[in-house]
């Protein structure tokens, strides 16, 4: 099975990559574009029956920076 | 409304970030972890009624590198 971890910047943390994309889209003529945010996701292959808590432990220890980032875990078949 | 663009590396393209995470997880004792892949996602605020094709145009022009990356667009309320 796979666990998908979605890591986003916490509210209030500056998102320079998102801002850069927003301004590049405007320059390319996509004027209708509003706020843009960028984040990352990590797909992890784990054995059947792995608990969500185990994945959260990985997030806390390695995958997300608790000061600046939030994470969300989704388990898929 | 929001468009979410998920950008992943094409099959066959080396994913050094994924490999680094995989090996770091093993070192931390998460021995059950198999393959790991990393990708990014971009959330774009767009006006109601924006078509998926418009977002795909943004992907082709800016958001994804057509040589190394695939993308997927999801429109949400």
């Amino acid at each position: 099975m796979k666990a998908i971890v979605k890591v986003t910047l916490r509210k209030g943390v500056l998102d320079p990559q998102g801002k850069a994309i927003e301004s590049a889209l405007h320059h390319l003529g996509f004027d209708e574009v509003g706020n843009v945010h960028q984040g990352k996701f990590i797909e992890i292959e784990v054995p059947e029956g792995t608990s969500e808590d185990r994945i959260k432990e990985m997030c806390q220890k390695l995958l997300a920076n608790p000061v600046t980032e939030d994470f969300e875990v989704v388990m898929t078949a």
Side-chain angles (χ1 to χ4, degrees), chain A residues 58-70:
Chain A
M58 296 180 195
C59 292
Q60 280 148 3
K61 288 197 177 160
L62 180 76
L63 305 175
N65 176 341
V67 180
T68 56
E69 294 171 329
D70 280 326

Side-chain angles (χ1 to χ4, degrees), chain A residues 44-56:
Chain A
I44 307 169
E45 273 175 27
V46 284
E48 251 357 277
T50 301
S51 70
E52 207 176 302
D53 283 348
R54 182 80 172 155
I55 309 293
K56 284 186 179 162

